[in-house]
Structures are given as structure tokens and as C-alpha cells.
Amino acid sequence: MAELDARGLNCPMPILKAKKALKELAAGDTLKVVATDPGSVSDFSAFCRTTGNELVEQSEENGVYTYVIRKST
């Protein structure tokens, strides 16, 4: 699983960095993104819905948001 640390970045930077990281992955690979921007919750949901990538997992603990995204074809 590839990982992206986007802590301290405000949206849309976590989305833009995730988009770039996903381009380097093969279909079916997963990307773990860690972010601290509360706006990332709705942004990652919308990003996955519009791009066809699957939001496999989403969690929040102490202001740190973790997302696992599976790249689509």
C-alpha cells in the first residue's frame, strides 16, 4: 500500500497530491492518505465518487483523518 502524508495541508492540496500519487499506481492498488484538514472528509468522498476510485476506508482520530483509496481502472 502506498502512503501519502498530507497533514498540515489545506484542501484542495491533499486531493491534488492524492490524485498525483494515484497516477503512479496500477489499477487495484491502494493509497493510504493521512490528512488534518476537516474539509478533506467531504472532499475525498466527492473525489472518489467523481473519479470512480473506491473509498475503501475512512476514519478520524484526534483530528487526523485517514483514507484508503483503491485505484480504479
Side-chain angles (χ1 to χ4, degrees):
M1 178 186 310
E3 294 191 22
L4 171 65
D5 185 351
R7 287 179 279 198
L9 300 176
N10 293 322
C11 282
M13 287 308 293
I15 292 291
L16 296 175
K17 287 188 170 283
K19 186 176 180 180
K20 182 177 178 182
L22 283 167
K23 281 185 179 179
E24 299 175 11
L25 300 180
D29 285 351
T30 55
L31 174 67
K32 177 180 178 181
V33 182
V34 181
T36 50
D37 184 351
S40 66
V41 174
S42 59
D43 287 352
F44 273 101
S45 177
F47 171 74
C48 288
R49 191 174 49 251
T50 58
T51 60
N53 295 304
E54 179 185 359
L55 185 57
V56 178
E57 185 179 318
Q58 177 180 332
S59 63
E60 185 274 333
E61 185 174 330
N62 298 322
V64 178
Y65 303 87
T66 303
Y67 308 92
V68 176
I69 302 167
R70 177 172 289 119
K71 184 177 179 176
S72 67
T73 55

